[in-house]
Amino acid sequence: QVQFVESGGGLVQPGGSLRISCVVSGTIFSIRGMAWYRQAPGNTREFVAGITDGGTTNYADFVRGRFTISRDNAINTVYLQMNYLKPDDTAVYYCNFAGAVASWGQGTQVTVSS
C-alpha cells in the first residue's frame, strides 16, 4: 500500500525559506514521477511542481524561480525547497505521484505571515 508522509512545514515570514520533505513507501520510488500539490483554505488542490524519474522538473507559473523540487532515490524522498515565500503560498502541501493517482497523505502546513 502506497503511503506519503510529508513533513517540514511551519510558520515563516514573508521573504523567508523553508524545505519540506515527503517520504514515500509501498512502491518502487525510483521509477515514479513525483509532484507536490497544495491546497489553501477555500481553494481546490493545485499542482505546484513535478519531477520525473529521470530528474526533469516542471513548475506552476506562480512558483517558478522561487521553488525547487528534488528527489533522493536512495531514501525514497522528494523535497520542495521554497524561497522568497509569500503570504499567498500559505497552504497545506501534499506530495503524490505525477498525475495525483494515489491516495493523499496528511500533508504539511506552511504558513507565511509576519
Side-chain angles (χ1 to χ4, degrees):
Q1 182 174 347
V2 174
Q3 199 169 20
F4 305 105
V5 180
E6 300 93 343
S7 64
L11 174 64
V12 61
Q13 292 188 341
S17 298
L18 203 61
R19 188 178 82 156
I20 57 177
S21 304
C22 174
V23 178
V24 184
S25 61
T27 187
I28 304 174
F29 177 78
S30 61
I31 65 172
R32 302 299 297 260
M34 297 298 304
W36 283 97
Y37 303 83
R38 70 185 188 186
Q39 187 168 19
N43 290 1
T44 57
R45 194 150 17 203
E46 60 186 357
F47 169 83
V48 175
I51 185 167
T52 67
D53 58 336
T56 300
T57 58
N58 65 304
Y59 299 92
D61 287 343
F62 52 79
V63 303
R64 188 173 289 113
R66 300 188 298 124
F67 290 11
T68 302
I69 187 171
S70 61
R71 64 191 297 161
D72 186 340
N73 290 339
I75 55 173
N76 287 12
T77 301
V78 59
Y79 302 99
L80 188 67
Q81 175 68 44
M82 303 181 290
N83 299 328
Y84 306 107
L85 281 159
K86 307 174 183 179
D88 284 352
D89 295 319
T90 295
V92 179
Y93 284 71
Y94 303 87
C95 73
N96 205 310
F97 298 128
V101 296
S103 298
W104 298 96
Q106 84 288 350
T108 187
Q109 175 70 50
V110 173
T111 303
V112 185
S113 175
S114 55

